[in-house]
Amino acid sequence: MNPDPVPGEKAGGDHRLALIGAGAIARDHVTALAGVPGVRLAHVVDRHPERAAALAALAEGATWSTDPATAWSDGVDVTAVCTSPESHADLTVAAFGAGKAVLLEKPAALKVADVDRILSAAENAGRPLLVAQTARFQPVHLEIAQAVADGAIGTPRLAHLTWYTGHVWPGGWRGWQLDPSRSGGHVAHNGVHALDLLTWLMDDEPVRVFARPCRTWAPGMPTPDSFQILVRFAGGALATVELCYALAARGTFVRRLMLSGTAGTLHHSSEDEPRTHGASPLAPASIDGAMTEQTRHLRDVLDGAAAPLTAPHQIRAALAAALAAQLSADEGRPVDVKEVC
């Protein structure tokens, strides 16, 4: 699973990044950039001038505007698309058309046809695309992926993933995240993290899903706060996913992963980790620092030292599975992934 270098990329350099969108996730990217030498924030774009200016002010020398076209000016090496998902495809295709590399927030798009447009544009431009599936960059998952690649469990056949956290409460999400036409729906929007992780770890393509959404501790929200997804892969492997974003304390985490194969089993639980107590909950060490690690990887991709960890076929497979899971949750039936393709 270790990527090979990209032929033709320059080795080393101070890469200039333009960021489109100045919301909460964009701020996380700016924080991560500050801790990674070799790539820096050069420009911020947002339709709200005050937000663009405030985010640009966090990085010395960064400029800002309200015009997306400034994100692929001559002085920019890579464009980070951090807008709401319904705008991802058009902005990303335009960035590739201008010859820029792209860091694209998840979900990559809201339709498989749009992700196909993105992948085609990346191929035609000959520029790298990294989708910000940060779960891959969490320390525990990098460790498990390496163990799988080393043959520790043989061929993966069964997975069980559980993520519980405090997140979805009135006032905790902005309007676009609660609007399925803009976010894709909660099952797709956040489920894509788990489905991408499993697509990567299982090294296989999801072909059939069954999702069950529920409103548990946040019944007043206009979206399910929790859901389960059963996944069948092309090679016959099975996975169970449980995601809950409604624990009472925002920032609380409970994470478990079991991956069983023909020669052994790997498992991890955040409950087994030492707990640090403070004024606010802290992320377990097993998942902390993922954004910074992802930014280091982006720098390595731009330097030509690595290929994007999110391979094109995996980007497509994970998004298609997430969209199929949303359809399953909406219609209450199992869905073949090919139905959304």
Side-chain angles (χ1 to χ4, degrees):
M1 293 185 182
N2 292 327
D4 295 321
V6 180
E9 291 286 345
K10 67 180 181 180
D14 187 14
H15 303 286
R16 293 166 55 86
L17 180 144
L19 193 154
I20 307 179
I25 196 65
R27 185 170 289 264
D28 290 343
H29 282 288
V30 170
T31 299
L33 282 164
V36 177
V39 57
R40 64 186 180 90
L41 181 66
H43 190 66
V44 176
V45 178
D46 194 275
R47 62 182 177 177
H48 301 289
E50 67 282 1
R51 296 205 321 175
L55 197 58
L58 298 180
E60 184 178 358
T63 56
W64 64 270
S65 81
T66 58
D67 179 5
T70 59
W72 39 85
S73 66
D74 290 341
V76 170
D77 302 302
V78 54
T79 298
V81 178
C82 297
T83 54
S84 51
E86 84 282 1
S87 62
H88 283 183
D90 288 345
L91 290 171
T92 301
V93 168
F96 281 128
K100 308 305 175 184
V102 175
L103 172 64
L104 175 59
E105 261 302 326
K106 64 81 199 168
L110 297 183
K111 297 178 182 178
V112 174
D114 281 339
V115 85
D116 285 342
R117 280 204 297 137
I118 290 170
L119 296 175
S120 178
E123 183 177 10
N124 291 338
R127 301 297 293 147
L129 166 67
L130 177 64
V131 175
Q133 296 287 176
T134 49
R136 294 195 186 203
F137 295 94
Q138 292 168 357
V140 65
H141 297 146
L142 290 171
E143 182 179 343
I144 288 174
Q146 188 60 59
V148 172
D150 291 342
I153 64 170
T155 302
R157 299 294 297 166
L158 189 67
H160 194 133
L161 182 152
T162 300
W163 291 345
Y164 284 78
T165 188
H167 193 73
V168 182
W169 287 96
W173 277 16
R174 292 187 292 122
W176 72 262
Q177 293 160 319
L178 301 176
D179 180 355
S181 69
R182 300 186 67 193
S183 69
H186 188 197
V187 176
H189 181 66
N190 279 316
V192 72
H193 270 308
L195 291 165
D196 173 79
L197 179 65
L198 292 172
T199 296
W200 179 48
L201 293 177
M202 305 289 272
D203 193 22
D204 202 356
E205 180 178 341
V207 294
R208 188 171 173 83
V209 297
F210 180 44
R212 298 186 62 180
C214 53
R215 290 173 171 82
T216 51
W217 296 280
M221 291 294 286
T223 186
D225 54 61
S226 307
F227 51 90
Q228 300 171 336
I229 309 173
L230 302 179
V231 188
R232 181 178 294 277
F233 291 83
L238 299 173
T240 301
V241 176
E242 299 175 296
L243 267 64
C244 170
Y245 290 80
L247 299 186
R250 185 179 178 88
T252 302
F253 293 90
V254 177
R255 298 286 185 106
R256 305 185 192 103
L257 174 63
M258 186 281 295
L259 191 62
S260 184
T262 54
T265 299
L266 295 165
H267 58 85
H268 168 266
S269 174
S270 63
E271 296 168 295
D272 297 332
E273 298 180 47
R275 295 175 181 267
T276 302
H277 298 281
S280 60
L282 298 175
S286 59
I287 67 173
D288 197 25
M291 188 73 81
T292 299
E293 186 61 34
Q294 177 179 266
T295 305
R296 290 193 190 101
H297 177 66
L298 172 65
R299 179 200 58 199
D300 292 346
V301 168
L302 296 172
D303 284 348
L309 195 61
T310 49
H313 72 283
Q314 294 171 347
I315 294 171
R316 189 181 196 275
L319 178 68
L323 296 175
Q326 185 66 57
L327 180 61
S328 175
D330 292 342
E331 297 190 356
R333 64 177 179 87
V335 172
D336 290 327
V337 174
K338 63 184 179 182
E339 290 185 42
V340 301
C341 295

